[in-house]
Amino acid sequence: MPPSEYLPLIGGKDIDFAADERAEPMRVLLMRHWNTIVDRFVRAGEQGYAFDPIVLQHDGRTARANDWVVRFTYGMQIRMDGWRPLTEDKKNGGVLAPFL
């Protein structure tokens, strides 16, 4: 999915990543984060283990990662056809197990 499709979903109506110079630092950080996640998934798959995020409890009730996971799976659903090969892959599909 190209950034031009997902950045408006992140910024909503308030941030125009394509036209607003002030949004450039945020776009750079988002792309760095995106690439870090991709790299970790790839390395986890190559090494044959599932990606296990660190989940911390907040106030003894809700894990802080929950909000992130909800948005991540929302992003997956936008392009589920693109994720299907990984979700159905018996060898590497386990990297998504913590999110599903």
Side-chain angles (χ1 to χ4, degrees):
M1 173 182 277
S4 61
E5 286 186 41
Y6 69 80
L7 288 175
L9 298 172
I10 294 170
K13 298 174 187 170
D14 298 330
I15 301 173
D16 183 351
F17 285 97
D20 191 340
E21 289 180 12
R22 297 172 298 168
E24 180 66 10
M26 184 184 295
R27 189 192 66 75
V28 168
L29 288 173
L30 286 168
M31 293 306 301
R32 184 184 312 161
H33 186 60
W34 173 286
N35 290 328
T36 298
I37 292 168
V38 169
D39 179 64
R40 290 192 182 174
F41 279 156
V42 169
R43 284 189 293 147
E46 289 173 350
Q47 295 174 10
Y49 63 88
F51 177 76
D52 293 322
I54 298 171
V55 180
L56 304 173
Q57 293 296 317
H58 178 66
D59 295 333
R61 296 173 296 166
T62 306
R64 289 182 177 208
N66 288 351
D67 292 338
W68 184 87
V69 169
V70 167
R71 293 299 177 205
F72 181 82
T73 54
Y74 171 74
M76 287 179 65
Q77 291 169 6
I78 293 170
R79 288 285 183 92
M80 197 57 188
D81 287 343
W83 285 94
R84 196 163 322 285
L86 181 59
T87 61
E88 295 175 354
D89 185 317
K90 294 189 186 314
K91 179 180 177 189
N92 298 310
V95 299
L96 295 173
F99 307 111
L100 304 175

